[in-house]
């Protein structure tokens, strides 16, 4: 039997509600309904064909945004359960946290940020809010998914309190439904954010090894990982190469999860929050890595930056996919009639270049890797799409 939830856990019966009031469900809590709406959304399905580091079609074993989101949700539920937080809210935030990512990962985000600089910029966290509050248009009574305040807060503050200037996509919704952007998020949202860090630090090492961007021996010399490999070698001398690295990385994965749990338990014991708002009002996040692990992760991230994210073959592909976005954006700005029919009404109502740019941004940001490449082949032509 699961232990009772803590006083500082979010409770669906105490939710601040939805922008558009709805009746309750017979069988599901409001946070469970949020999770289910996210899973059934078009944006969530598209994550299957959006990249993490490698372009989606470069290999079947590399992570996509979808597999990453599922891994984050698994880690987040585990941590939330131990901390006696609300697992359903934690899972909803974890599953939705990457909905705003454009095609081609951070490369696509960098390209759109440059293109949108004259029009308020681009931020993938803010774009996730725009997707779940406006761009998912399936329900009869409202645009978006009409998620609870708590889930939206978790998405908005995925990286902590939001400082000025607030991105347009977020400020537009916040003006209608105050998400209290200046405070920390709930404990559940903080768990989802740290689960994101745990997941990508682990699986980027997996993917980099599979892509042969670095060797197992190099990983075995990094902090945290050195102890994991040493433990495996002691327990299983002469273990097969693939099993050895898998056993070491799963220990690394567990080490990170256990560190977050221990650090959060200590912080919560010191704070002694009596309600979710006590967590929001704290001077520091209550869910974090310990200082030694955070320091060692900095070394691993530096290694990944140079050996993986800025590897020559990755840089070469970054240049190609940046051109795809750089070509499509001005094309749609000059020829909005090329946008699909369901976007035409928004175009007709646009009263400025900035309004049109945001429509074009929404369209391109929603593309999958493969669709963006195919649209470039169809509308622009040339050999670029064939070279990706």
């Amino acid at each position: 039997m699961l232990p009772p939830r803590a006083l500082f856990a979010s409770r669906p019966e105490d939710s601040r509600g939805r922008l558009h009031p709805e009746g309750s469900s017979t069988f599901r809590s409001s946070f469970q309904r949020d999770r289910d709406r996210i899973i059934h959304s078009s944006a969530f399905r598209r994550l299957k064909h959006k990249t993490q580091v490698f372009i989606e079609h470069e290999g079947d074993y590399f992570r996509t945004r979808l597999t990453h989101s599922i891994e984050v949700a698994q880690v987040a539920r585990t941590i939330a359960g131990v901390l006696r937080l609300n697992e359903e809210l934690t899972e909803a935030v974890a599953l939705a946290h990457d909905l705003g990512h454009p095609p081609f990962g951070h490369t696509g985000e960098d390209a759109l940020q440059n293109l949108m600089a004259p029009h308020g910029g681009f931020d993938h966290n803010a774009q996730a809010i725009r997707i779940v509050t406006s761009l998912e248009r399936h329900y009869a009574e409202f645009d978006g998914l009409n998620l609870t305040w708590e889930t939206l807060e978790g998405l908005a503050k995925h990286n902590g309190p939001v400082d000025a200037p607030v991105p347009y996509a977020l400020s537009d919704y916040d003006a209608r439904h105050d998400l209290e952007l200046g405070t920390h998020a709930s404990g559940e949202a903080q768990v989802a954010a740290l689960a994101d860090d745990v997941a990508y630090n682990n699986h980027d090492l997996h993917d980099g090894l599979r892509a042969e961007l670095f060797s197992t021996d190099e990983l075995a010399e990094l902090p945290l990982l050195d102890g994991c490999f040493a433990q495996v070698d002691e327990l299983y001398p002469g273990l097969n190469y693939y099993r050895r690295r898998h056993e070491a990385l799963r220990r690394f994965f567990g080490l990170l999860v256990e560190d977050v749990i221990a650090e959060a338990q200590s912080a919560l014991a010191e704070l002694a929050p009596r309600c979710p708002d006590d967590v929001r009002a704290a001077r520091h996040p209550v869910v974090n890595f310990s200082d030694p692990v955070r320091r060692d992760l900095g070394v691993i991230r530096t290694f990944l930056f140079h050996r993986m994210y800025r590897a020559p073959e990755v840089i070469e592909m970054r240049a190609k996919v940046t051109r795809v976005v750089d070509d499509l954006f001005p094309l749609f700005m000059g020829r909005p009639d090329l946008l699909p029919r369901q976007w035409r009404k928004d175009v007709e109502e646009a009263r400025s270049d900035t309004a049109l740019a945001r429509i074009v941004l929404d369209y391109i940001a929603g593309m999958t890797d493969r669709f963006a490449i195919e649209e470039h082949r169809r509308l622009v032509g040339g050999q670029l799409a064939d070279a990706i």
Side-chain angles (χ1 to χ4, degrees):
M1 182 180 295
L2 293 174
R5 286 183 176 138
L7 293 173
F8 49 81
S10 298
R11 288 170 169 77
E13 61 269 23
D14 297 329
S15 171
R16 303 192 196 185
R18 307 176 188 275
L19 180 63
H20 305 281
E22 299 183 47
S24 60
S25 169
T26 305
F27 305 108
R28 296 173 297 162
S29 75
S30 56
F31 299 152
Q32 288 175 308
R33 293 179 78 186
D34 283 359
R35 176 202 60 200
D36 296 347
R37 289 180 182 185
I38 290 162
I39 289 174
H40 289 281
S41 68
S42 299
F44 187 75
R45 289 195 298 276
R46 288 196 299 269
L47 295 180
K48 177 182 178 182
H49 297 297
K50 290 194 177 190
T51 191
Q52 278 291 113
V53 175
F54 300 96
I55 304 307
E56 178 267 334
H57 65 264
E58 288 187 289
D60 291 338
Y61 288 96
F62 297 129
R63 266 67 172 194
T64 65
R65 291 284 170 194
L66 179 62
T67 59
H68 166 71
S69 296
I70 294 171
E71 291 179 24
V72 172
Q74 176 268 313
V75 176
R77 281 195 69 104
T78 297
I79 297 173
V82 175
L83 298 180
R84 298 187 298 134
L85 292 164
N86 187 292
E87 296 96 326
E88 284 76 29
L89 174 58
T90 307
E91 185 178 28
V93 176
L95 289 171
H97 82 279
D98 266 358
L99 291 181
H101 272 286
F104 313 128
H106 291 291
T107 303
E109 182 170 9
D110 291 344
L112 286 174
Q113 173 62 28
N114 290 333
L115 291 163
M116 286 295 295
H119 308 291
F122 174 76
D123 176 87
H124 74 263
N125 284 335
Q127 190 68 15
I129 290 289
R130 183 155 172 76
I131 287 169
V132 301
T133 61
S134 176
L135 299 181
E136 286 281 328
R137 296 174 180 175
H138 306 296
Y139 295 88
E141 297 182 356
F142 47 77
D143 287 341
L145 304 180
N146 200 33
L147 303 178
T148 61
W149 185 94
E150 289 76 12
T151 299
L152 293 173
E153 180 216 23
L155 292 180
K157 304 175 188 175
H158 182 65
N159 293 324
V162 181
D163 298 325
V166 178
Y168 161 77
L170 182 51
S171 63
D172 179 61
Y173 184 79
D174 186 63
R176 293 178 286 145
H177 196 190
D178 183 9
L179 297 176
E180 300 179 2
L181 298 177
T183 69
H184 291 289
S186 65
E188 288 83 1
Q190 291 184 39
V191 166
L194 261 291
D196 183 23
D197 286 353
V198 170
Y200 79 71
N201 275 293
N202 178 66
H203 64 52
D204 281 1
L205 295 172
H206 274 276
D207 286 351
L209 284 170
R210 182 169 290 278
E212 299 183 346
L213 296 176
F214 42 78
S215 70
T216 303
D217 290 341
E218 289 177 284
L219 289 193
E221 296 177 355
L222 293 172
L224 300 178
L225 288 158
D226 53 0
C228 296
F229 276 97
Q231 186 180 59
V232 172
D233 292 341
E234 181 180 355
L235 290 171
Y236 309 105
L239 188 64
N240 170 276
Y241 169 80
Y242 290 102
R243 292 178 190 266
R244 176 176 180 257
R245 75 187 193 188
H246 178 78
E247 286 291 335
L249 286 173
R250 67 187 285 261
R251 282 165 172 75
F252 171 67
F253 190 68
L255 184 156
L256 297 183
V257 172
E258 290 170 7
D259 183 77
V260 170
I261 290 172
E263 191 69 11
Q265 287 174 328
S266 175
L268 288 166
E270 181 179 350
L271 181 65
R274 305 290 296 174
C275 65
D277 282 344
D278 287 347
V279 173
R280 295 185 175 96
R283 288 181 295 175
H284 305 288
V286 297
V287 183
N288 218 327
F289 294 112
S290 65
D291 288 339
V293 167
R294 189 187 304 111
R295 181 182 61 247
D296 289 343
L297 279 176
V299 177
I300 293 173
R301 287 167 178 157
T302 299
F303 174 84
L304 283 170
F305 180 84
H306 293 292
R307 298 300 302 279
M308 184 173 179
Y309 311 142
R310 292 298 181 266
E313 48 267 65
V314 174
I315 291 293
E316 181 181 358
M317 185 60 71
R318 280 173 59 93
K320 292 175 182 177
V321 298
T322 296
R323 281 185 54 199
V324 170
V325 178
D326 285 347
D327 288 345
L328 288 177
F329 189 91
L331 175 64
F332 289 125
M333 285 293 291
R335 291 283 311 278
D337 58 296
L338 293 175
L339 293 170
R341 180 174 299 175
Q342 62 265 35
W343 294 80
R344 305 282 174 79
K345 185 174 186 296
D346 290 340
V347 170
E348 291 171 0
E349 294 176 353
R351 295 293 179 264
S352 66
D353 284 346
T354 292
L356 177 59
R358 287 172 178 156
I359 294 169
V360 172
L361 166 69
D362 289 339
Y363 181 57
I364 293 177
M367 291 181 176
T368 63
D369 294 5
R370 61 173 59 181
F371 183 73
I373 293 168
E374 288 305 314
E375 281 293 271
H376 189 277
R377 176 182 284 111
R378 182 176 71 88
L379 296 173
V380 179
Q383 299 179 340
L384 177 60
D386 295 328
I388 296 176

